[in-house]
């Protein structure tokens, strides 16, 4: 064979090269496109193109890089070793080298055990038709568009989850200030790309030796270890003031770090003025939540029955899932739980393999990768995987006992499964407990409270909407086929997480955000029920349209994009942006006071978003039960403080006169919304009241 023919054989085919160029174009468009929401289209299509570019021989490199990124972001880039609770007595350094070294060794062992084989999901997503992926992305952007850009709510926990993102963002800015570290990081990524393309060019042949394969796998392992070692240097690049800051200390172990770091990177690449500290837009901060729903749709439509069905049926099915009331409500909020749903769906869908497969046959499957990744995204994901691992331990133990196959080797193999799927999660929970983050406090008396059981039942019935109908049909079909293993996994996940949250503080029982962990079991059963209709296209079309319409009717998000007070949460959305933009036009150097708010984070982040660094004070609430009395006290206090405007929050319609005046302030304008009303008051006799919108 000539040299030229060998070179051509090692080159990727023309279609693959063109896909690579399309991927590069999607990345460039994500970075440079001027609008924020359109960037999501390039993000979604870019994921599909990446699955097509990464060929089978290169996927081990991609999977090793993924496992490395998971561990590095949670334990190494996040300065866990700087926790005050982990320092040795008498230590003077902010970051502990001993703790970081222990984490590095643990991470190296974990990545080596975890990164074996690539999930079949990658090849199946790559096989999807491009028009299906593009249309699914556009449909999802359409149903999310209006609530996507809503201001941060008053009440609720979105701001607390955003704090984790902000910490990662601040740490990222510190790393960007060290050029050598960024250069080494880019070199490490370049080495991974070279290694992947080198593996992809090594087409399998009868002459391929086992020794050559071992050398290539060893090179991938060394590359992953170098990445972990580089990430382990990060805490010594952060200033001591950053590590000692009370805000950063509070947040560094509050949630696992992988998802906040991903959101921060999406934010950095999407901003016009990277590094200035001004938010690009709330919609960009919420990309990871919408992205989770996008991936959930791909997980469903890549299944063989749906992949071969008419595209309109696949798209309607994915859209019906996106419009499930709790999914539609949370898809445009930065709540970390939503990212768990696609992975847990994969795990439940592959329930038989998860329970029965030997460790060797389980490694590298969809269930394997889903189980090991869940714990890095949210602490409650560790509980979910722990429950499913217990189910596997019981079933596998009974299986091996009945067949008389127990041995030290079998026990060691099962221990590896536990180490890969639960090891990092248990380590995180241990470090978090030592750090002193909010502990889980069970209220066992809830088991005897019938009103708590009723509250929990009401929550799942309301939040999952009409999804229960195909889910019941799917459960019946599985029982009819005697597919008991998948039902066991679904039942363990649903029942275990139900009981876990049932003994929470009673006011949080039935909270929609907590019930998201119950959703994967119901989704898998519903998808089974809907899939049985695909051979009858007209029946399937009618059923999907009815499901879509019913879920849209029950959605807590109205046609104007405003969310209801829903799901057991106290979140209320106000038009902070419109209010502040109006006041800035009237007086750009104004001093602002806000009143009847127990915290200012919603309006505070909106000021940052608008790049208006106004002097803002949060006035104390005089009487939580008497809003008019609180208003009078707030206006009097604002007059003494010489504030130009007072923004008062109401839970409903303001119970005051249209020309209300007090303490030198006049009612200027109302900004009503579904959650309540903001009323702006202006100081001085020259202030002219304006009509409400």
């Amino acid at each position: 064979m000539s040299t030229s023919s060998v070179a051509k054989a090692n080159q990727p085919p023309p279609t693959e090269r063109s896909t690579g160029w399309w991927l590069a174009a999607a990345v460039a468009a994500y970075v440079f496109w001027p609008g924020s929401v359109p960037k999501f289209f390039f993000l979604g299509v870019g994921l599909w193109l990446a699955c097509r570019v990464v060929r089978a021989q290169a996927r081990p490199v991609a999977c090793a890089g993924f496992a490395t990124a998971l561990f590095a972001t949670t334990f190494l880039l996040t300065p866990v070793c700087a926790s005050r609770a982990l320092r040795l007595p008498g230590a003077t350094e902010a970051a502990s080298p001993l703790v970081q070294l222990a984490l590095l060794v643990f991470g190296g062992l974990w990545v080596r055990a975890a990164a074996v084989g690539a999930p079949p999901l990658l090849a199946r997503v790559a096989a999807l038709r491009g028009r299906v992926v593009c249309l699914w992305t556009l449909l999802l952007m359409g149903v999310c568009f209006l609530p996507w850009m809503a201001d941060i709510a008053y009440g609720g926990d979105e701001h607390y989850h955003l704090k984790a993102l902000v910490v990662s963002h601040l740490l990222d800015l510190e790393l960007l200030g060290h050029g050598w570290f960024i250069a080494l990081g880019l070199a490490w990524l370049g080495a991974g790309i070279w290694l992947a393309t080198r593996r992809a060019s090594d087409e399998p042949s009868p002459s391929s030796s086992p020794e050559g394969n071992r050398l290539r796998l060893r090179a991938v392992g060394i590359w992953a270890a170098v990445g972990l070692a580089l990430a382990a240097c990060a805490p010594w690049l952060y200033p001591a003031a950053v590590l000692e800051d009370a805000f950063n200390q509070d947040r560094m172990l509050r949630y696992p770090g992988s998802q906040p770091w991903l959101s921060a990177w999406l934010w950095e690449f999407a901003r016009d003025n990277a590094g200035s500290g001004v938010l690009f837009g709330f919609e960009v901060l919420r990309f990871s939540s919408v992205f989770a729903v996008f991936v959930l749709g791909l997980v469903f439509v890549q299944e063989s029955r749906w992949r071969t069905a008419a595209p309109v049926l696949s798209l309607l099915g994915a859209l019906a899932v996106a419009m499930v009331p709790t999914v539609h409500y949370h898809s445009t909020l930065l709540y970390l739980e939503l990212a768990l749903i696609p992975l847990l769906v994969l795990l439940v869908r592959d329930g038989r393999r998860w329970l029965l497969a030997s460790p060797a046959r389980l490694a590298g499957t969809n269930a394997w990768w889903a189980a090991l990744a869940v714990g890095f995204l949210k602490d409650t994901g560790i509980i979910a995987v722990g429950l499913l691992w217990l189910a596997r331990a019981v079933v596998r133990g009974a299986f091996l006992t009945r067949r008389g196959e127990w041995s030290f080797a079998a026990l060691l193999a099962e221990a590896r499964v536990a180490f890969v799927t639960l090891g990092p999660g248990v380590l995180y929970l241990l470090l978090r407990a030592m750090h002193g983050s909010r502990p889980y406090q069970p209220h066992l008396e809830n088991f005897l409270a019938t009103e708590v059981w009723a509250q929990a039942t009401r929550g799942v019935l309301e939040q999952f909407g009409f999804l229960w109908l195909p889910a019941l049909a799917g459960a019946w079909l599985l029982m009819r086929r005697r597919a008991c293993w998948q039902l066991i996994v679904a039942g363990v996940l649903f029942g275990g997480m139900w009981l876990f949250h049932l003994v929470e503080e009673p006011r949080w029982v039935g909270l929609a955000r907590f019930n998201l962990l119950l959703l994967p079991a119901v989704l898998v059963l519903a998808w089974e029920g809907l899939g049985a209709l695909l051979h009858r296209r007209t029946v399937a079309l009618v059923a999907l349209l009815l499901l879509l319409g019913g879920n849209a009717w029950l959605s807590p998000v109205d046609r104007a994009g405003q969310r209801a007070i829903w799901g057991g949460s106290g979140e209320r959305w106000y038009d902070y942006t419109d209010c502040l933009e109006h006041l800035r036009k009237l007086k750009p150097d104004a001093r602002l006071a806000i009143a009847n708010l127990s915290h200012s984070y919603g309006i505070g982040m909106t000021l940052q978003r608008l790049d208006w660094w106004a002097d803002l004070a949060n006035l104390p609430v005089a009487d939580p039960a008497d809003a008019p009395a609180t208003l009078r006290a707030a206006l009097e206090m604002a007059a003494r403080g010489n504030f130009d405007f007072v923004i008062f929050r109401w839970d409903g319609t303001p119970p005051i006169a249209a020309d209300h005046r007090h303490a030198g302030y006049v009612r200027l304008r109302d900004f009503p919304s579904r959650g309540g009303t903001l009323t702006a008051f202006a100081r001085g006799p020259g202030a002219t009241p304006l009509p409400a919108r």
Side-chain angles (χ1 to χ4, degrees), residues 43-90:
L43 179 64
V45 174
L47 174 68
W48 172 70
L49 291 171
C51 292
R52 292 179 66 86
V53 165
V54 180
R55 290 195 288 169
Q57 290 79 12
R59 285 175 189 144
V61 181
C63 291
F66 176 70
T68 301
L70 285 177
F71 192 89
T73 48
T74 291
F75 293 105
L76 301 176
L77 289 176
T78 302
V80 172
C81 64
S83 169
R84 295 191 186 101
L86 303 180
R87 295 177 191 169
L88 295 174

Side-chain angles (χ1 to χ4, degrees), residues 329 553-566 571-575 650-653 671-677 693:
Y329 180 85
W553 178 57
L554 294 176
S555 175
V557 182
D558 64 18
R559 287 178 294 179
Q562 295 190 3
R563 297 180 183 86
I565 303 169
W566 183 85
E571 290 166 308
R572 293 173 177 268
W573 279 266
Y574 295 93
D575 287 331
W650 305 93
D651 287 338
T653 303
F671 297 85
S673 62
R674 196 173 176 184
T677 303
R693 292 188 306 163

Side-chain angles (χ1 to χ4, degrees), residues 475-526:
W476 179 78
L477 288 172
L478 290 176
M479 287 188 290
R480 187 180 178 185
R481 295 205 309 262
R482 300 182 184 275
C484 60
W485 304 115
Q486 195 168 335
L487 284 172
I488 289 174
V489 173
V492 167
L493 179 62
F494 188 96
M497 295 310 299
W498 171 288
L499 294 176
F500 178 79
H501 288 305
L502 185 72
V503 293
E504 285 271 7
E505 188 175 339
R507 65 188 177 121
W508 299 126
V509 173
L511 184 67
R513 180 163 64 88
F514 292 168
N515 283 345
L516 282 173
L517 274 294
L518 310 179
L519 184 62
V522 182
L523 280 173
V524 169
L525 297 178

Side-chain angles (χ1 to χ4, degrees), residues 233-577:
C233 300
W236 285 271
L237 303 181
Y238 306 137
V242 172
L243 298 180
E244 295 290 351
D245 182 76
F247 173 77
N248 294 334
Q249 281 283 328
D250 175 62
R251 308 313 297 177
M252 65 174 55
L253 274 164
R254 182 64 184 85
Y255 305 112
S258 294
Q259 196 176 167
W261 274 97
L262 170 63
S263 298
W265 289 335
L266 291 177
W267 173 16
E268 297 295 350
F269 282 110
R271 294 191 306 152
D272 285 336
N273 45 1
S276 69
V278 179
L279 304 187
F280 182 89
F282 293 137
E283 58 273 21
V284 175
L285 302 186
R286 294 162 173 158
F287 266 10
S288 57
S289 297
V290 188
F291 191 65
V293 181
F294 171 76
V295 173
L296 179 62
L298 295 185
V299 166
F300 282 131
V301 301
Q302 58 83 31
E303 293 187 4
S304 57
R305 282 187 299 183
W306 292 86
R307 193 169 65 245
T308 57
V312 66
L313 296 180
S314 299
L315 291 171
L316 278 176
L319 190 59
V321 168
M323 289 302 296
V324 171
T326 190
V327 177
H328 194 206
Y329 180 85
H330 289 98
S331 61
T332 50
L333 297 173
L334 186 71
Y335 277 133
L336 303 179
E337 285 87 352
L338 194 62
L340 303 176
I341 307 304
L343 297 175
L344 289 175
V345 164
L346 280 174
L347 197 47
V348 175
R349 190 67 177 159
D350 215 8
R352 178 182 175 84
R353 179 177 283 109
W354 171 254
L355 291 179
L356 296 178
S358 66
R361 295 178 67 87
L362 180 65
T365 62
N366 291 335
W368 173 270
W369 283 100
L372 70 86
V374 161
F376 287 96
L377 301 181
K378 184 69 171 64
D379 45 0
T380 45
I382 303 169
I383 307 301
V385 173
L387 291 169
L388 295 176
W389 179 83
L390 285 175
R392 173 181 168 83
V394 171
V395 172
R396 281 286 295 171
F399 178 78
L400 293 175
T401 300
R402 189 177 64 180
R403 300 185 61 172
E405 295 181 358
W406 271 115
S407 65
F408 179 75
L411 187 62
L412 197 62
E414 291 296 338
R416 178 194 172 198
V417 175
F419 173 66
V420 168
T421 57
L422 286 178
V426 172
L427 175 63
Y428 165 77
L429 292 179
L430 176 63
L431 294 174
R432 172 176 158 161
M434 296 172 63
H435 183 71
S437 293
R438 181 170 67 95
Y440 175 70
Q441 297 175 323
H443 295 256
L444 299 180
E445 65 275 10
N446 289 357
F447 282 121
L448 304 177
T450 55
E451 65 275 11
V452 173
W453 284 88
Q455 181 178 326
T457 304
R458 242 185 347 262
V460 293
L461 291 177
E462 175 192 45
Q463 294 153 21
F464 296 175
F466 289 101
L467 191 69
W468 283 109
L469 298 178
L472 292 174
W476 179 78
L477 288 172
L478 290 176
M479 287 188 290
R480 187 180 178 185
R481 295 205 309 262
R482 300 182 184 275
C484 60
W485 304 115
Q486 195 168 335
L487 284 172
I488 289 174
V489 173
V492 167
L493 179 62
F494 188 96
M497 295 310 299
W498 171 288
L499 294 176
F500 178 79
H501 288 305
L502 185 72
V503 293
E504 285 271 7
E505 188 175 339
R507 65 188 177 121
W508 299 126
V509 173
L511 184 67
R513 180 163 64 88
F514 292 168
N515 283 345
L516 282 173
L517 274 294
L518 310 179
L519 184 62
V522 182
L523 280 173
V524 169
L525 297 178
W527 207 245
E528 184 70 30
L530 293 170
L533 303 176
L534 290 178
H535 66 285
R536 303 177 66 180
R537 181 177 298 186
T538 303
V539 175
L541 182 62
V542 171
L544 290 171
L545 287 173
L546 288 174
L547 179 61
L548 176 61
N551 285 338
W553 178 57
L554 294 176
S555 175
V557 182
D558 64 18
R559 287 178 294 179
Q562 295 190 3
R563 297 180 183 86
I565 303 169
W566 183 85
S569 173
E571 290 166 308
R572 293 173 177 268
W573 279 266
Y574 295 93
D575 287 331
Y576 293 129
T577 296

